Amino acid sequence: MQGQIQNAEATQEKATGENNTPSTKEQIMALEQEIAESRTAIDKDFAKKFASSISEEQQQLMFNDLAAFLESYEQAKLENLKTQLEPKITKHNELKAKLENEGIESKVKEAKEKLLAKYPKANPDEVINYLQEDLSPKQLREIDKLDPSDVLIRVYELMPQSKGKELPQELNDLHDDGRLDNEENEFMNRR
């Protein structure tokens, strides 16, 4: 009994641990929030940092050319933001690209499954290759209008082998030596 309880607790801990891993979308949202908060904090503290490190030349600008001084302040602020936020922004962009790729991969997987459900003998990789290399601009425009899950089916239907231009997989009519069955041979001779 106690062993069953421990097994149940271990299973529950494992399930809970797996659910605690944030999804890519959640990671992106967290990073966006973190970037916004960091930007606010950096903006707030930058004036003090800039004032403590102001050069004599910048002091001259402050009194003689206020616009040029403010421009140098803004430039320094942007460079500071870029330096401090660049790793987070890079990670954010990587996660967005990963999320986009996951979406594309799932659509391709769905399209392959749908193709194989309708045409079990189709080779999805060959269909994708045909799509990328052999379709005319007119056919590509036609395919662009389709639901992504139906694209591979339509491309397969456009392929020559789907129209019977490919040799059949099994030649039941022929013997090993290439002769027709006797009945078929007699039928052909009567004509």
Side-chain angles (χ1 to χ4, degrees):
M1 180 73 164
Q2 188 175 4
Q4 290 175 339
I5 293 172
Q6 288 174 341
N7 286 340
E9 288 174 349
T11 305
Q12 186 177 7
E13 286 175 9
K14 186 177 178 183
T16 315
E18 290 174 359
N19 292 337
N20 287 340
T21 305
S23 70
T24 305
K25 203 174 220 177
E26 292 169 335
Q27 290 177 27
I28 290 171
M29 290 171 43
L31 264 174
E32 287 173 350
Q33 183 176 354
E34 192 175 323
I35 289 169
E37 290 171 358
S38 295
R39 179 172 285 168
T40 303
I42 292 168
D43 281 348
K44 184 178 177 183
D45 295 338
F46 184 73
K48 291 176 189 173
K49 182 179 177 182
F50 186 77
S52 69
S53 65
I54 196 167
S55 70
E56 197 172 300
E57 184 181 313
Q58 289 170 323
Q59 285 180 356
Q60 291 289 331
L61 277 177
M62 185 170 59
F63 294 114
N64 297 332
D65 190 356
L66 187 57
F69 171 75
L70 291 174
E71 207 172 287
S72 71
Y73 172 82
E74 286 298 318
Q75 183 64 32
K77 185 176 169 182
L78 284 174
E79 288 175 16
N80 185 48
L81 275 172
K82 182 180 176 188
T83 302
Q84 292 194 22
L85 294 178
E86 191 168 23
K88 291 178 185 178
I89 291 171
T90 301
K91 178 73 173 170
H92 177 266
N93 292 339
E94 289 171 357
L95 287 171
K96 283 191 101 163
K98 179 182 176 186
L99 183 65
E100 193 172 297
N101 286 339
E102 287 172 356
I104 291 169
E105 288 172 3
S106 69
K107 287 179 183 177
V108 169
K109 183 180 177 188
E110 179 185 345
K112 284 181 176 182
E113 289 170 354
K114 199 168 181 181
L115 170 69
L116 291 172
K118 187 167 182 177
Y119 299 106
K121 291 186 179 183
N123 181 337
D125 294 330
E126 286 180 14
V127 176
I128 291 171
N129 188 39
Y130 188 82
L131 165 68
Q132 294 171 339
E133 296 178 10
D134 297 322
L135 290 181
S136 70
K138 181 180 177 184
Q139 290 170 325
L140 287 171
R141 284 191 301 275
E142 174 190 338
I143 287 173
D144 282 341
K145 297 174 187 175
L146 296 175
D147 181 72
S149 65
D150 294 329
V151 168
L152 292 183
I153 291 173
R154 182 63 187 130
V155 171
Y156 181 75
E157 291 168 350
L158 292 171
M159 291 175 70
Q161 45 284 36
S162 70
K163 296 180 181 176
K165 295 181 183 175
E166 180 180 79
L167 289 174
Q169 294 295 322
E170 298 177 20
L171 298 174
N172 293 331
D173 299 350
L174 298 178
H175 293 282
D176 289 339
D177 61 0
R179 293 179 295 112
L180 288 173
D181 284 336
N182 283 338
E183 294 174 13
E184 291 174 354
N185 200 10
E186 288 176 19
F187 176 75
M188 295 297 279
N189 287 334
R190 281 188 255 163
R191 295 184 120 210

